[in-house]
Amino acid sequence: MRHITYTTHGTCSRLINIDINDSGEIADVSFVGGCNGNLQGIGALVRGQRPEDVIARLKGIRCGAKPTSCPDQLALALEEALKG
């Protein structure tokens, strides 16, 4: 199991905690701050998915006039995790 903590930028959430299991799938995602119900929903939807698939679906989503969103920040966190 690999754990990643990502500091978000430009969103209401402040941190994203991600666990990726030994099979390379997302085991758990939790956000610190932000819209609790929506972010729990995102975590539930991505659980069991491969990071590459989640990145493809979530990258570039915006929140209103902001250039990013919590889903976009999750995609960026997963991209960073795949590089390292």
Side-chain angles (χ1 to χ4, degrees):
M1 183 80 65
R2 184 170 159 209
H3 180 79
I4 298 114
T5 299
Y6 180 82
T7 302
T8 60
H9 306 280
T11 59
C12 299
S13 64
R14 297 181 304 279
L15 292 172
I16 306 173
N17 292 298
I18 306 165
D19 291 319
I20 299 176
N21 65 26
D22 295 335
S23 300
E25 296 172 341
I26 298 169
D28 191 46
V29 170
S30 64
F31 291 79
V32 176
C35 304
N36 190 39
N38 290 334
L39 298 176
Q40 284 183 51
I42 291 170
L45 290 170
V46 302
R47 200 169 295 122
Q49 302 294 313
R50 299 208 50 84
E52 299 87 349
D53 296 332
V54 173
I55 293 166
R57 288 186 188 113
L58 300 182
K59 189 172 181 181
I61 292 176
R62 297 173 56 143
C63 183
K66 296 178 184 179
T68 190
S69 66
C70 292
D72 182 55
Q73 290 293 298
L74 176 56
L76 296 174
L78 290 168
E79 281 184 331
E80 189 173 293
L82 291 178
K83 289 179 190 174

